[in-house]
Amino acid sequence: MKGTVGELGEFGLIRELTSRLTTTPAVRLGPGDDAAVVAAPDRRVVASTDVLLEGRHFRRDWSTAYDVGRKAAAQNLADIAAMGAVPTALLLGLVVPADLPVTWASELMDGLRDECQVAGAAVVGGDVVRGDTITVAITALGDLRNSDPVTRSGAQPGDVVAVTGWLGWSAAGHAVLSRGFRSPRAFVEAHRRPEPPYHAGPAAAGLGATAMTDVSDGLVADLGHIAEASKVRIDLRSGDIDIPTQMSDIGQAVGVDPLQWVLNGGEDHAIVATFPPDVKLPARWKVIGEVLNPSALPQVTVDGAPWAHAGWDHFGDEADAE
């Protein structure tokens, strides 16, 4: 559809966006009423929310609207999976300037819809409003299916630390884009569209995971949340963490140790969890460390030594640029 969202108007834009949506059996009432109705057989609803701001979390010269939609949905649906729940629904709050092309908003919705389909969820409603800066606010919902939520506070000394999914790929892609390049494409695409292993969260709960989170702010930073909540120390073995040859090549080209990306880089939304040592983990899980008795800070160490580099902080100096 040609034209701008201002020319189309609020209700015309809503009709355009909702016309692109699909549904799932969990959606009892979708967009079009005062609120949506989503089945919650477990009688508990897992909920998470996040906000993406243009210029801080995405750039239109780096990512298409479709990319932004996929990324916005992925980072919220990953939070649901990291609780051991199955994603069911997503709500969108969208702030856009009046001169934004309608095609951009439509492609954003296509990205949200398609990522939801990957996770088995659906967009069920939301709101649009005019503003100076594009802002994408997402609320994701999920169902525990009669399982207990896997929180950050259950890790026990003796547990192993295991991860599934990509680590450092988004950060490497960001480094490539920051230097004006668009390849290696796999890493650039990992930054534009993360691929969380949604199935792994509920599966880990079924395997007896004691604590779990997705890697959104960096492996060390996110495991730090588990260490703090569980009152334990976590030690990572760097030699057990895979670093692809191509990532090493990128690091050499830009003068960065790729281990920095693997340990500090966020937005891959891998799933990291702690498990009792006798649990037999599927091949998709890689054991990369262990949970130890609490000691003096820092609570997360690498090869037994403090790791001085922090992960992502929305109020830190590095948060001023995408």
Side-chain angles (χ1 to χ4, degrees), residues 100-118:
L100 183 75
V102 173
T103 53
W104 198 95
S106 298
E107 290 167 10
L108 172 80
M109 184 61 83
D110 290 346
L112 292 168
R113 177 201 63 213
D114 289 355
E115 191 63 32
C116 280
Q117 288 180 333
V118 172

Side-chain angles (χ1 to χ4, degrees), residues 64-209:
T64 66
Y66 184 81
D67 292 334
V68 176
R70 294 290 295 260
K71 186 174 187 176
Q75 65 186 49
N76 283 271
L77 296 169
D79 284 335
I80 301 299
M83 296 298 293
V86 175
T88 56
L90 184 147
L91 296 159
L92 167 67
L94 181 61
V95 181
V96 292
D99 61 357
L100 183 75
V102 173
T103 53
W104 198 95
S106 298
E107 290 167 10
L108 172 80
M109 184 61 83
D110 290 346
L112 292 168
R113 177 201 63 213
D114 289 355
E115 191 63 32
C116 280
Q117 288 180 333
V118 172
V123 181
V124 297
D127 189 27
V128 296
V129 66
R130 176 176 175 170
D132 294 332
T133 303
I134 299 176
T135 304
V136 182
I138 300 293
T139 298
L141 307 177
D143 181 41
L144 286 164
R145 295 190 175 179
N146 298 318
S147 297
D148 291 329
V150 183
T151 67
R152 297 172 175 176
S153 61
Q156 299 292 322
D159 286 351
V160 298
V161 180
V163 65
T164 183
W166 309 110
L167 288 175
W169 285 59
S170 178
H174 182 276
V176 170
L177 287 165
S178 296
R179 287 157 177 80
F181 297 101
R182 296 294 185 270
S183 63
R185 188 172 181 82
F187 293 90
V188 171
E189 289 303 307
H191 177 71
R192 290 169 171 162
R193 301 182 197 174
E195 297 182 8
Y198 299 116
H199 63 281
L207 289 168

